[in-house]
Amino acid sequence: MVAETQKNLEKVFEKQRKFCKVNEIVEKYKYQKQNLIAILQEVQGEYRYLPEEIMTYIATIMSISPASVYGVATFYSQFSLDPKGKYEVKVCDGTACHVRGSMPVYKAIKEKLKLKDGKFTTEDLQFSVETVRCLGACALAPVVVINNKVYSKVTPEAVKIILDKLLERSGEGDKAND
Amino acid sequence: MTNTVKADIKKEFERASEYVKKTGARVLICSGTGCVANGALDIYDKFLQLGADVKLKGEKHVTAIKTGCHGFCEQGVFVAIPDLKLTYVRVKPEDVAEIIEKTLKNAEVIDRLLFVDPKTNKTIQNPQEIDFYKYQTKKALFNCGQINPENIDEYIAARGYEAIDKVIKEFTPEQVCNEVEQSGLRGRGGGGFPTGKKWNFVRMNKADQKYVICNADEGDPGAFMDCGLMEGDPHRLIEGMIIAAYAVESSLGYIYVRAEYPLAVKRLKIAIQQAEERGFLGDNIFGTDFSFRIKIKEGAGAFVCGEETALIASIEGDRGMPMPKPPFPANEGLFGKPTLINNVETYANITMIILNNAEQYKKYGTGGSPGTKTFSITGEINNSGLIEVPLGTTLKEIVYDIGGGIRNNKKFKAVQIGGPSGGCLTEQHLDLALDYESLKSVGAMVGSGGLVVMNEDTCIVEVARFFLEFTQSESCGKCIPCREGTKQMLHILEKIVAGKAELKDLKLLEELAEVVQLGSLCGLGKTAPNPVLSTLKYFKDEYLAHIVDKRCPAGVCEAFKTIKIDPALCKGCTKCSKVCPVSAISGKIKETFVIDQEKCIKCGACLTSCPFDAIKEEN
Amino acid sequence: MNANIMENKIEQKLIVDGKEVSFSNEKNLLEVIRKAGIEVPTFCYRPDLSTYGACRMCVVEIEGMGIQTSCTVKPQAGMKVQVNTEKTRKIRKMTVELLLASHNRDCTICAKSENCDLQDLAKKLGVRDVRFPSKEKHLPIDDKNPSIVRDPSKCILCGACVRACKEIQGTGCLSFVNRGSEATVMPAYGKGLDEVDCTYCGQCTAVCPTGALRIKSDIDRVWEQILDPKKKVVVQIAPAVRIAAGETFGLPYGENTLGLITAALRKIGFDSIFDTCFTADLTIMEEASEFIERFKKGENLPLFTSCCPAWVRFLEQRYPSFLKNLSTCKSPQQMFGSVAKKVLIEEFNLNKPADQQIKKEDIVIVSIMPCTAKKAECNKEEFKTDDTKDVDFVLTTQEMIRMINEAGVDFKHIEPEHLDSPFGIFSGAGVIFGSSGGVAEAALRTAYETITGRKIEKVAITEARGLHTVKELSIKIDEHEVKVAIVNTLSEASALLERIKNGEAHYHMVEVMACPGGCLGGAGQPPSYKDREIKERRMKGLYDADVHNPIHKSHDNPEIIRLYQKWLEKPNSHIAHELLHTHYKNRKRIFGEIINLSSVEKGAKVTDVQVCVGTNCYAKGSYGIIEALTKLIKENNLENNVNIRATFCMEHCSEGPSVVIDGELILKATLDKIEGVFKDKILSKYQK
Ligand SMILES: Cc1cc2nc3c(=O)[nH]c(=O)nc-3n(C[C@H](O)[C@H](O)[C@H](O)COP(=O)(O)O)c2cc1C
Ligand code: SF4
Ligand code: SF4
Ligand code: SF4
Ligand code: SF4
Ligand code: SF4
Ligand code: SF4
Ligand code: SF4
Ligand code: SF4
Ligand code: FES
Ligand code: FES
Ligand code: FES
Ligand code: FES
């Protein structure tokens, strides 16, 4: 086989290995339409976003139209159609957090990560930032959650320190992986 | 799945009580979302590590127990030792060793960890004497903070699953519905519809399959009562659902939990599994023909899915778009079958009604609104957290007695009740009794029970804009008045806070509000104008100040700020002109600098750059 | 149950605007009010689709229930309803104003102008001012397919198209996407309709109240041809056109206006005017003989009719495994094209001096069709001869009407005229093609007489008729029992395919039409969704045309007989096959392209091997098979003889891994099996 095609084939197989995982998930939910949201949630857990080809694949094996899957995926704010960062920063902008100053915190984060308007994920796919509605810790407002860890009573200054620590750590992590 | 266990509640109770007794002296470590955020799990681990063989006062065996929310999350992490009538607040992992050494071994109180009453500046040891707890009536939340939510025995020992046993043995489905109707319980999810009546509707609809759904979507941003309940006492909710299922003759239930509550989901899953193992859930419950199972469905981030028809669409795997009612879910619900939908707290009230009785239940609350209600109080208030009071308690009692008044001695301005679909209450309502009728009479609603307190520094127009931004972005987009109407309302409010609105915009805003309210398909759109309408009613002058005087009385809205250089203080050092991103500052070195107001974008960068504090912000 | 039905039939009364109105089994209050002659505006209600309740235009005030949308409320005895109150008027007017704010309001040049519901209501409600800022950016127009233009800037999100595509066609190509003010209706991932499983049936355009989904217009291009003196423009008129065109001009529903149409088209400047019914007869000749052959052999049954291009595309995209069942006959429109470009030219040129002869490139074939899918059909690669299309342009009934208006022809008052010959003679069997059931009926008439050699006793096969989406019949032909299913709408067709697949249904012939009621309800026709009666009347018009036609069977059409005698020999002859038959392609949208694993050029001596690397086959070990095959090829020095390719899902997942060697499918390929196959099929070929 030509090296080039060998490579192409490898790519296909890599994709197929991915699909195998999707197969397992859909199988677990018995191909039922009513489990579509749960399926997409698990798939997103696996890939950190919903790749188009995987949505089409899910639609095909579940016998629903790709358009319906896409419709569901774009309805719920939890789903992302673009790759998300390694650290998912969620700034609560529920009422309690809002009146206690969540927006300055949000601005500080975007500034710190140099995310200009319209962009929510850093170029290096390390961080994505979004606002969410109430995380159920209103008494500790404003609240920021980073990969499921809750930070309470966050100030713009404090959040910069938190991010610095993560940046440091993720730098190390990358080195360790090399 | 057939239950091999035939539950015998008396035996279960005895066994559970024995188990609880064996836990000895209990060290209750709050592990609600709030306290976990503050390190509760580390504290628990530390206790396990250091306190393995410790005995209270050298005598009684000690067990560290993770509990649900104590309510006063602000002061977390809570560590309570009921045997000593003592509660520590703001505990850190590094305090654990000291607590073990001093308090557990020697019954010594560590003053530093006690709650300090902000009014008297004195420490308080017994939680029951803290204002925040003193004025509450915990019923639905009774177990929260007292038991380990991940252990079914602790719930059983607190008379758990006795109500369903009683119902199965002594009641027909009709009697259950009637008892609930008698109690006067009204839905805690917002609308306040009489629960027993709804149960009877579903019961009377004959069908091969009916469903019972628990609405745990708690979408109101600023409310976390359902979250606290599910995390702190999941079995109470499950038992309420089982009773409902018996009453309406359903065999399958769903709990629809919002995705942002992972801890609640985890605890519910554990609780369901335990209840199945004990034979309270599953096939042939208590050896009868009655079978019931519960599935958990996690939401995926859509406020509108709290609306019952949208919730149903979401459970079916679709976009959460509401359907017009009628038909109501009680007639045509999930998969087209009769479906009962109630809120978490509604179900949590059921066991109380059954165990005592409807009459007893009505002792609390008002005639039209019996029982207690949980509220979350947040915002600019001293004691924020999760509380429970009889319906009919006044706003003043909540804000001042329990909530301890406004933070930083600021002036009370308003309370937003019921979140984005609710209304605002002002000083004139402080003596208003919080119940369904009174609130409705002033154009507000109990709603979910979220209370967000605002002070003089809050701009009410900005808050109305915030709520509209919320409803606008959470609108499902199905019907035109809501989809397009809220967008235009938001646009007008944005113009107002940006100082670009004219008086005719206010008129258009009111006109729009009416059409959105009347014309929208579901509750989201129908109530979306409420925050605007109620703030317009009580704070019209603030709107006018923004529109006519081009001024924000609370000093919040950036558009009305001006950044000025005080000529008396400026030394002409040039620093500020260097930081200004739009080159709005000019001047000659060592002379007075000036800001070109046309150019200035109010970024505030120059404020901190002046070594002589010559630059000020004015409203 | 019975009691229930009885109860439903009982006349009950409610009060609308103070007037007593009776109702019995209307499905909602809106229908009751309309029946009472009171107009209620609507955008999203479509009687034949599920109720959506989104536009809020149909609001009424009901005593005790407040403001309700009348399309979603069940009528109840004693209800007191008010249609026009201060509140309902306010809601309607403001709602339209809000819609207009985010709407691309270029009515003057909009293709939907004149019959646009939005424009109409804005006018009726007196919306004269839009006090809100206009939407600045609109999503781009999607017009990359031959049939349909999708313009999101005109969409009011009434959801009718989403429902039509899903409920009528079961294709679900369109969906709501995003939410709130960002909500839009579009195909998956915002792709063009040409990139998804759209069948171009156009039903979405038929229900769209605005210009957001509209039929792609070919009028200008046809005008160009007509005005070009060099071109000989030949037009064919489809069966269903004649019974719908008159409606727009105020003639009764279902009136046959073939003569008027012919006259109008001649006025417009078409050179020859023929009838697609003629080639419908030809189709029957071919299809009936194809059926008889398959029936005798018991092969590839049931035979599926192939005259509806939306159905054909649906099968190609969704159920390729059934393609072998499709009749290989071209549709009447395409038969017309290929016969015209071959035979007609020669007949035209017969006995003409060389300078008057028409050149092939100067003949232009235009079709007037009830159909949007036909526009796509005529562009298919399969329907091109020497790179020119057999049919050059397709105009829908609606476009024809617009041309008539553009040409200033007073349709109602012109003198009817006759069609040209030779393709203007047709049988009644050809005309009923325009109705669901017509093709099957026509084919059965011919098949019966061909097989038995006897005259059929009853020409009208009434079981095949009517608007129901599924009809079943069985007919005795000699000792044989022929079972036929007739379905219209593709969602009904998929249900039927599933039943056939699962062995729950057995037929010999299946007729499928994508549009409700068949072509008479085609998307190119004037709108017919508002009232079921319109379709009924059109259907009657078609069957009446059969009755009034002296010829009832395709094989009795003298022109058809002559055509075979002179040009085509006999049905299914070699020449007939060349001109009148086609083949189909698997167009299933799979993810990924075929990957060539070797670099051998295609050629007669090259063996083609395809190994499925779809998910299922991959999981079952197709990778190992590729490795093994590559090794075998190398060991035997066949690198220049065998072309190995990795393909995606061959739709035999449960029996994977699938391998295809020179077109032959091998299932459950194990390593052992593949070695054997390699020896038998490949090695042996080259060892000679
Ligand atoms: C936009 C919207 C959001 C809602 N969100 C919730 C919610 O988060 N939780 C809830 O219990 N009810 C919510 N409701 C109310 C429910 O639709 C429903 O009335 C309630 O679950 C009925 O239960 P109850 O009778 O026990 O109150 C919401 C309603 C609307 C219109
Ligand atoms: S009111 Fe809003 S949320 Fe409700 S159906 Fe209409 S658009 Fe959707
Ligand atoms: S920094 Fe302060 S002192 Fe210096 S020029 Fe600016 S205003 Fe004047
Ligand atoms: S506030 Fe910002 S823009 Fe305005 S003068 Fe200061 S630095 Fe410049
Ligand atoms: S869709 Fe209707 S309202 Fe819109 S531009 Fe076209 S004609 Fe005008
Ligand atoms: S309607 Fe009036 S403004 Fe418009 S083109 Fe005609 S004359 Fe001009
Ligand atoms: S043309 Fe037919 S298949 Fe295509 S989107 Fe429209 S309704 Fe669906
Ligand atoms: S494209 Fe037409 S039919 Fe479809 S939602 Fe938009 S306006 Fe309605
Ligand atoms: S049924 Fe007729 S009009 Fe409809 S798509 Fe098929 S051929 Fe075209
Ligand atoms: S509002 Fe932020 S946690 Fe509730
Ligand atoms: S979470 Fe600990 S007190 Fe609320
Ligand atoms: S027609 Fe009734 S809501 Fe649209
Ligand atoms: S994956 Fe190979 S046949 Fe389907």
Side-chain angles (χ1 to χ4, degrees), chain B residues 250-515:
Chain B
S250 154
S251 60
L252 186 55
Y254 288 89
I255 305 177
Y256 187 88
V257 197
R258 68 195 292 249
E260 290 84 346
Y261 289 170
L263 191 57
V265 171
K266 182 182 152 214
R267 294 202 172 140
L268 283 169
K269 282 187 175 157
I270 294 173
I272 288 173
Q273 197 197 337
Q274 290 175 342
E276 280 174 357
E277 284 165 7
R278 296 294 174 90
F280 302 132
L281 263 181
D283 289 345
N284 306 102
I285 297 170
F286 288 115
T288 64
D289 290 348
F290 169 53
S291 302
F292 182 60
R293 256 163 296 152
I294 295 180
K295 290 187 188 173
I296 292 183
K297 282 272 180 180
E298 284 178 63
F303 171 66
V304 67
C305 287
E307 198 282 336
E308 41 199 23
T309 57
L311 186 149
I312 285 170
S314 185
I315 292 184
E316 290 173 356
D318 277 322
R319 293 164 60 85
M321 303 216 279
M323 289 299 290
K325 290 184 280 191
F328 290 93
N331 300 320
E332 269 173 57
L334 187 61
F335 303 116
K337 304 288 182 189
T339 301
L340 174 71
I341 302 188
N342 278 124
N343 166 258
V344 173
E345 194 184 334
T346 313
Y347 287 122
N349 270 281
I350 300 298
T351 50
M352 272 183 269
I353 297 170
I354 301 293
L355 283 182
N356 304 322
N357 62 36
E359 289 315 305
Q360 202 68 23
Y361 182 82
K362 283 198 273 199
K363 291 231 163 85
Y364 294 93
T366 65
S369 308
T372 54
K373 170 85 190 87
T374 59
F375 290 96
S376 61
I377 38 174
T378 54
E380 298 298 335
I381 191 154
N382 272 318
N383 309 333
S384 54
L386 173 57
I387 63 162
E388 184 172 357
V389 291
L391 279 158
T393 304
T394 65
L395 188 59
K396 197 196 259 157
E397 287 170 291
I398 291 178
V399 173
Y400 288 95
D401 296 346
I402 299 175
I406 309 303
R407 285 212 301 180
N408 307 327
N409 290 319
K410 295 272 182 171
K411 221 172 137 262
F412 171 86
K413 182 168 187 175
V415 166
Q416 176 74 16
I417 182 165
S421 39
C424 74
L425 301 173
T426 67
E427 245 182 317
Q428 69 188 92
H429 301 118
L430 278 173
D431 288 316
L432 186 81
L434 299 188
D435 59 51
Y436 293 99
E437 298 83 12
S438 319
L439 280 167
K440 202 169 170 200
S441 70
V442 298
M445 61 189 237
V446 180
S448 54
L451 295 173
V452 182
V453 180
M454 293 171 268
N455 68 15
E456 56 193 316
D457 292 340
T458 320
C459 171
I460 212 81
V461 187
E462 211 301 306
V463 168
R465 186 208 59 80
F466 167 78
F467 281 121
L468 245 133
E469 186 186 25
F470 177 85
T471 33
Q472 196 272 145
S473 70
E474 292 296 332
S475 156
C476 82
K478 178 171 177 173
C479 70
I480 307 162
C482 171
R483 177 181 77 229
E484 304 292 339
T486 57
K487 182 174 84 183
Q488 300 299 353
M489 284 179 75
L490 175 63
H491 180 76
I492 296 175
L493 286 163
E494 280 170 349
K495 263 166 79 177
I496 297 177
V497 297
K500 291 182 182 146
E502 303 163 47
L503 271 176
K504 70 169 198 244
D505 288 316
L506 200 59
K507 208 185 132 257
L508 190 57
L509 180 66
E510 286 172 322
E511 212 181 301
L512 262 173
E514 189 191 353
V515 168

Side-chain angles (χ1 to χ4, degrees), chain C residues 612-618 648-654 656-658:
Chain C
C612 176
V613 291
T615 309
N616 243 297
C617 292
Y618 168 76
F648 290 86
C649 195
M650 301 175 180
E651 280 192 285
H652 294 280
C653 310
S654 56
S658 327

Side-chain angles (χ1 to χ4, degrees), chain A residues 11-57:
Chain A
K11 255 192 233 151
V12 172
F13 285 137
E14 204 182 300
K15 199 152 95 187
Q16 294 305 9
R17 273 189 283 277
K18 283 202 296 196
F19 283 144
C20 283
K21 183 74 210 167
V22 179
N23 255 357
E24 263 169 48
I25 295 171
V26 178
E27 188 101 13
K28 183 170 113 194
Y29 286 102
K30 303 198 183 88
Y31 295 85
Q32 283 173 343
K33 163 84 192 297
Q34 58 157 304
N35 293 326
L36 179 60
I37 293 165
I39 289 169
L40 294 179
Q41 278 167 334
E42 279 204 27
V43 168
Q44 176 155 311
E46 202 58 38
Y47 305 98
R48 284 196 265 156
Y49 77 113
L50 296 174
E52 179 184 316
E53 52 185 13
I54 291 192
M55 283 192 276
T56 308
Y57 181 66

Side-chain angles (χ1 to χ4, degrees), chain C residues 303-433:
Chain C
L303 170 91
F304 293 160
T305 57
S306 61
C307 45
C308 169
W311 154 242
V312 169
R313 186 172 282 270
F314 179 78
L315 218 55
E316 290 186 320
Q317 284 167 348
R318 295 289 204 89
Y319 290 95
S321 57
F322 276 111
L323 286 175
K324 60 180 190 325
N325 294 73
L326 260 184
S327 156
T328 57
C329 292
K330 290 180 182 175
S331 69
Q333 132 155 315
Q334 291 305 142
M335 282 198 184
F336 186 96
S338 49
V339 174
K341 287 212 168 162
K342 176 142 183 99
V343 175
L344 203 57
I345 291 187
E346 299 206 24
E347 297 208 343
F348 276 152
N349 289 344
L350 213 63
N351 311 325
K352 294 241 173 78
D355 61 324
Q356 282 177 30
Q357 301 234 330
I358 298 168
K359 290 202 222 65
K360 195 174 175 196
E361 61 265 30
D362 285 334
I363 188 159
V364 178
I365 309 290
V366 176
S367 321
I368 312 287
M369 293 282 141
C371 182
T372 52
K374 294 276 176 195
K375 284 182 187 263
E377 182 184 42
C378 83
N379 280 309
K380 265 180 130 179
E381 279 304 316
E382 292 86 326
F383 298 131
K384 281 183 187 160
T385 328
D386 312 329
D387 238 23
T388 60
K389 300 197 289 181
D390 293 341
V391 170
D392 296 283
F393 301 101
V394 174
L395 298 176
T396 58
T397 314
Q398 290 184 46
E399 285 169 280
M400 176 192 76
I401 291 165
R402 216 169 327 135
M403 271 186 99
I404 294 174
N405 286 332
E406 278 174 26
V409 176
D410 182 358
F411 188 81
K412 239 171 130 172
H413 299 108
I414 46 175
E415 273 300 308
E417 290 177 17
H418 285 293
L419 292 162
D420 291 311
S421 68
F423 295 176
I425 308 283
F426 55 90
S427 78
V431 187
I432 60 174
F433 257 64

